[in-house]
Amino acid sequence: MQIQADEQSKNSLGREPQKKKLTVYLGALAIVLALTVGGAFYYFHQQANRFESQCVSGEQMTLEIKSLLEEVKSLPGEADNETVKDWTDKLAVARTNMDKFCSDLKSAHPSSKYKQSCSNLYAAAEIERSILEAVAAVVKEPLSVDTADKIKAIDDKVQDLREQAASVEVGQTDFASSMDLTTLKDNLTAFVNTAKEAERRRQEEEARQAREREKQRLADIQTRLKNYNDSVMANTHDMEWLATGVTYTNDHRLELHGFFYNGTNNPVVRINNMTMSITLYKQGEVIYQRDNFYFRSTIDLYGAVAPGTKKFNDLYVTSDDVFPQDFDEFRIKTADMNWTYIR
């Protein structure tokens, strides 16, 4: 009996260290599990916080973009206007920011709580990015023939954006509001109408200036003609025929309007013969020239032309040549004139 008691005592003493080891092991395991759970909770909590923070920044960015797009309705219509250039620069910055936001969302690893919202927000951001690109194209060329189609396509994307943004639920953010661009169609249309009005005014001003230039050009032609005739009359001692106008009759006939001027000291009653040269111009360029039109028939002046006076007398010339009809200036000179005078 003594021997059996000793053996039981030995077995009892052997189990005590094993219980202590098991207790320590279980305690350590509990600590590890607690740390793991706590770490995981902290990690996912931090992930959620980071994603929420990212979304808050994104919401602020989309609000700024929304405000920027509201300004388009008030832009001047001239593409080279400084206000338009400044606004376009701001839009370029907004597009860059949106590109980064899309990239960040694509590489984000949100908690399961926000996984679907992250995917929805990324899709919405991509739509808004394409809208910004399309808006830039409209503002750059508002008078393009396909502008109306572009605005309709933008409005279709705006509707898609509304639906996509409404499915985003992240903390206190409200992307359904910040990405609501329903006024964009009307704002772009207002800008395009302003651009059309600006273009109408520009064309009107351009046409007015063109009319003024043409008026001045024709006046300069008349001034040159008058100066030429005045110079001839001031310096000649012969009979002269000076042109005041030329009319195209057909390809082979021109009507010449003008007068005889008596630079001699005697009254002249008729012209016996003369030679004429004709040069026709268009926009300052010679388009026709001939030096040998001969007048061999007598031209009766129907009364004496006193020295220093004019006698209006229209003439005409014909030719086998084809006369141009779109001339705008002329120079006619006479030579070898023979006349009859009385003393």
Side-chain angles (χ1 to χ4, degrees), residues 239 260 268 270-273 297-299 301 337-339:
M239 283 295 293
F260 284 102
V268 175
R270 72 179 61 89
I271 304 300
N272 301 314
N273 54 66
S297 300
T298 298
I299 301 174
L301 299 179
M337 188 179 293
N338 179 272
W339 60 88

Side-chain angles (χ1 to χ4, degrees), residues 193-206:
N193 288 338
T194 300
K196 288 179 179 178
E197 178 61 20
E199 176 63 12
R200 184 190 66 77
R201 292 195 303 268
R202 185 195 67 77
Q203 290 181 358
E204 284 186 353
E205 177 60 19
E206 189 176 83

Side-chain angles (χ1 to χ4, degrees), residues 215-258:
K215 181 179 178 180
Q216 185 59 53
R217 189 181 72 84
L218 295 177
D220 291 342
I221 289 174
Q222 292 302 312
T223 298
R224 287 194 293 272
L225 176 62
K226 182 178 184 302
N227 290 343
Y228 172 78
N229 288 347
D230 288 348
S231 176
V232 170
M233 289 187 292
N235 295 285
T236 188
H237 299 288
D238 298 321
M239 283 295 293
E240 304 283 353
W241 187 86
L242 298 171
T244 57
V246 177
T247 301
Y248 168 89
T249 303
N250 57 53
D251 286 350
H252 305 289
R253 177 177 172 127
L254 295 177
E255 300 291 334
L256 310 178
H257 313 288

Side-chain angles (χ1 to χ4, degrees), residues 306-323:
T309 63
K310 304 174 184 178
K311 174 73 175 189
F312 283 90
N313 201 129
D314 290 350
L315 307 172
Y316 70 88
V317 293
T318 59
S319 174
D320 291 335
D321 298 336
V322 175
F323 292 121

Side-chain angles (χ1 to χ4, degrees), residues 53-284:
S53 177
Q54 183 181 13
C55 289
V56 168
S57 298
E59 180 189 31
Q60 180 59 37
M61 179 195 66
T62 55
L63 282 171
E64 292 172 359
I65 290 175
K66 181 177 181 178
S67 178
L68 180 65
L69 294 178
E70 283 290 331
E71 296 175 8
V72 73
K73 64 184 176 185
S74 303
L75 292 178
E78 301 85 357
D80 58 349
N81 185 282
E82 287 301 321
T83 301
V84 176
K85 290 180 179 179
D86 290 344
W87 187 89
T88 302
D89 290 342
K90 292 178 182 177
L91 183 63
V93 172
R95 290 173 65 187
T96 299
N97 292 339
M98 182 57 74
D99 287 344
K100 184 178 185 305
F101 186 52
C102 287
S103 177
D104 291 344
L105 288 173
K106 187 176 182 180
S107 60
H109 298 286
S111 62
S112 58
K113 176 182 178 181
Y114 291 135
K115 188 174 181 179
Q116 187 58 52
S117 284
C118 179
S119 177
N120 295 343
L121 181 55
Y122 173 70
E126 283 289 348
I127 295 172
E128 184 156 328
R129 176 163 66 171
S130 69
I131 289 174
L132 296 181
E133 183 178 349
V135 168
V138 170
V139 173
K140 182 179 180 181
E141 297 182 329
L143 303 180
S144 174
V145 293
D146 60 346
T147 294
D149 293 336
K150 289 179 180 177
I151 292 178
K152 183 177 185 310
I154 288 173
D155 191 50
D156 290 342
K157 290 181 179 181
V158 166
Q159 303 311 315
D160 293 341
L161 176 61
R162 286 186 65 193
E163 294 177 6
Q164 198 65 49
S167 65
V168 177
E169 296 180 2
V170 179
Q172 299 300 312
T173 61
D174 185 5
F175 284 99
S177 176
S178 67
M179 287 183 150
D180 183 2
L181 306 179
T182 51
T183 61
L184 184 55
K185 176 184 177 181
D186 290 341
N187 292 341
L188 282 174
T189 301
F191 167 72
V192 170
N193 288 338
T194 300
K196 288 179 179 178
E197 178 61 20
E199 176 63 12
R200 184 190 66 77
R201 292 195 303 268
R202 185 195 67 77
Q203 290 181 358
E204 284 186 353
E205 177 60 19
E206 189 176 83
R208 185 193 67 78
Q209 292 181 7
R211 290 193 298 271
E212 289 297 321
R213 288 193 299 270
E214 180 65 8
K215 181 179 178 180
Q216 185 59 53
R217 189 181 72 84
L218 295 177
D220 291 342
I221 289 174
Q222 292 302 312
T223 298
R224 287 194 293 272
L225 176 62
K226 182 178 184 302
N227 290 343
Y228 172 78
N229 288 347
D230 288 348
S231 176
V232 170
M233 289 187 292
N235 295 285
T236 188
H237 299 288
D238 298 321
M239 283 295 293
E240 304 283 353
W241 187 86
L242 298 171
T244 57
V246 177
T247 301
Y248 168 89
T249 303
N250 57 53
D251 286 350
H252 305 289
R253 177 177 172 127
L254 295 177
E255 300 291 334
L256 310 178
H257 313 288
F259 59 89
F260 284 102
Y261 175 76
N262 188 353
T264 73
N265 295 320
N266 301 298
V268 175
V269 294
R270 72 179 61 89
I271 304 300
N272 301 314
N273 54 66
M274 65 178 179
T275 303
M276 178 180 288
S277 68
I278 298 177
T279 304
L280 302 177
Y281 302 85
K282 180 179 181 180
Q283 298 289 336

